[in-house]
Amino acid sequence: MGIRSFFGIVPFRVRHGQELPYLDMRDAVPESPVKLTAGFLQEKPTELREKLQTFGFGLGAVPSDADTVIVSACDTDPAVTIQQHVFSLYPDTVARGLSLLQHIIQPKKIVLAIFPCQRKRAVSLAADLAEVAVIAPVYPNGFPQMLASMVKRLRSGVGTSMYVNAERLVAMTNAVETGAAPTTKLVSLSGSGFPQRKNVCVRVGQSVQSVLDSQSVDMAVVRKVVCGGLLTGSAIYQPAAIQVTSQTDGIAAQTEKELVRYESVPCFNCGKCTAVCPARLKVNHLARYAEYSRFDTCREYAIDSCIGCGLCSYVCPAHRPLLQLISFASDELKKGEAAV
Ligand code: SF4
Ligand code: SF4
């Protein structure tokens, strides 16, 4: 496998035609081995699954009879573009990954979910390995639950489905082919605290502060650091003590001008939260029961169907912390289940 230096900033196209630069913080990255054939097809599916398990890809939990596998190159937060980016950088690895999934899971169908700007690339690489589903680039369409229900609507005969995003698929394929566990992660940087909005490749385990430092972020002007996406992430207060994990899709460094200060007032039943909820929940009722710790009643209001998109909080004119209340109730219910 060839190795090429990758110090430069390479623009890549993301949704809405906007281009963002990409900077790799490592010395070199493996070049996508375009000519490599899927040699793992000679290995037994059970052995490959075990191999993946040792690299931390818990495929053991995936039903071996998964009807449909959804491979997604759609991102799950407006400030994150890593799935689209991985798909642009490593199309051949994604293609071999589709073969890998077909080999070890043998689903009836693999669906490759993409935003419209990736259509051409997706159609050529999917060939007869997967069906391509073009997803409208509207938040929160990239969420696994949204994709599963959309794919169900678009394709008849879809039963149980499994979700793998493009970054994970590439990491799985590399692990099988090279025998090396993934140690790096793409992270989208956003917020005016960063000199430039970009994606960077960082080592899993390094501190969030080291990522900020590597981009010469002036911490004297940063008022809030958010880990995860802008709508789905959480504010952190000690970036030096927080590590980048395989789940850290984004880091936002916000300055004073991006902070929104408001006080929440009681709900006045405008219904906007319920109207916007993609899971069609009665959000105002659910949040009230969560607020008063009526967790069992939250379950009756289908709290488990909440996908955590945060749209309800975003639209609420009373600035109610709806997602936080629902997340709190959800955590309490999970704790209760774990204690049984
Ligand atoms: S959007 Fe806010 S004010 Fe309106 S019903 Fe929902 S919680 Fe109440
Ligand atoms: S976060 Fe809010 S809008 Fe999103 S699914 Fe949950 S209740 Fe519905």
Side-chain angles (χ1 to χ4, degrees):
M1 181 186 300
I3 301 287
R4 62 182 162 141
S5 292
F6 211 99
F7 290 110
I9 294 178
V10 180
F12 72 102
R13 194 166 288 280
V14 296
R15 61 183 186 236
H16 311 311
Q18 182 192 12
E19 284 192 348
L20 288 178
Y22 166 64
L23 176 68
D24 197 311
M25 289 166 62
R26 296 169 296 167
D27 293 344
V29 293
E31 189 171 11
S32 184
V34 287
K35 300 288 182 226
L36 204 68
T37 53
F40 48 72
L41 294 179
Q42 310 308 319
E43 296 181 49
K44 286 185 184 158
T46 46
E47 286 168 9
L48 284 169
R49 287 171 76 110
E50 277 167 24
K51 201 186 266 189
L52 284 168
Q53 189 87 33
T54 61
F55 290 125
F57 298 104
L59 280 184
V62 174
S64 57
D65 60 344
D67 198 56
T68 303
V69 176
I70 300 171
V71 174
S72 174
C74 305
D75 286 287
T76 54
D77 190 276
V80 171
T81 54
I82 55 179
Q83 302 312 328
Q84 298 165 78
H85 196 169
V86 165
F87 190 62
S88 302
L89 278 179
Y90 304 117
D92 304 295
T93 315
V94 171
R96 292 198 308 285
L98 296 176
S99 300
L100 176 66
L101 290 176
Q102 184 63 50
H103 186 53
I104 59 177
I105 297 173
Q106 298 175 4
K108 283 190 193 150
K109 203 176 287 189
I110 298 180
V111 174
L112 178 59
I114 47 134
F115 287 141
C117 61
Q118 308 268 31
R119 187 196 305 256
K120 208 168 156 195
R121 179 178 282 118
V123 168
S124 74
L125 79 79
D128 53 357
L129 292 169
E131 287 183 28
V132 175
V134 182
I135 306 297
V138 176
Y139 185 79
N141 280 358
F143 273 60
Q145 301 93 327
M146 297 296 289
L147 290 176
S149 77
M150 269 184 265
V151 165
K152 230 172 187 162
R153 278 205 310 275
L154 289 169
R155 307 273 184 274
S156 59
V158 169
T160 52
S161 62
M162 168 195 161
Y163 168 90
V164 186
N165 65 35
E167 187 180 41
R168 188 171 168 85
L169 181 64
V170 165
M172 282 166 55
T173 310
N174 283 336
V176 162
E177 291 180 335
T178 65
T183 55
T184 56
K185 170 89 186 77
L186 267 186
V187 178
S188 289
L189 307 182
S190 61
S192 60
F194 285 108
Q196 193 179 22
R197 193 181 161 195
K198 65 172 76 158
N199 288 347
V200 293
C201 182
V202 302
R203 295 201 181 279
V204 172
Q206 77 177 81
S207 71
V208 171
Q209 186 63 56
S210 69
V211 178
L212 296 164
D213 292 343
S214 73
Q215 303 300 311
S216 307
V217 170
D218 180 0
M219 293 307 285
V221 298
V222 170
R223 293 283 171 268
K224 187 160 84 170
V225 177
V226 178
C227 242
L230 270 184
L231 276 170
T232 52
S234 319
I236 59 168
Y237 299 97
Q238 288 182 304
I242 304 289
Q243 294 177 329
V244 172
T245 71
S246 60
Q247 310 299 318
T248 309
D249 288 346
I251 298 173
Q254 299 183 326
T255 58
E256 188 68 31
K257 65 180 179 187
E258 290 161 294
L259 289 191
V260 183
R261 292 194 172 83
Y262 51 76
E263 283 189 22
S264 74
V265 296
C267 168
F268 46 85
N269 290 322
C270 69
K272 285 189 175 174
C273 53
T274 294
V276 80
C277 177
R280 302 183 196 286
L281 301 178
K282 290 181 178 168
V283 186
N284 48 349
H285 292 245
L286 182 54
R288 266 180 222 157
Y289 287 119
E291 189 169 14
Y292 292 102
S293 302
R294 299 268 303 274
F295 304 132
D296 286 335
T297 315
C298 289
R299 195 157 262 156
E300 287 167 27
Y301 277 83
I303 189 172
D304 293 339
S305 299
C306 171
I307 64 171
C309 66
L311 278 177
C312 49
S313 305
Y314 186 71
V315 299
C316 176
H319 301 302
R320 300 253 301 145
L322 299 168
L323 174 59
Q324 287 82 353
L325 289 168
I326 293 169
S327 300
F328 164 67
S330 184
D331 287 347
E332 290 300 309
L333 282 165
K334 279 183 198 136
K335 269 191 230 160
E337 279 165 17
V340 174

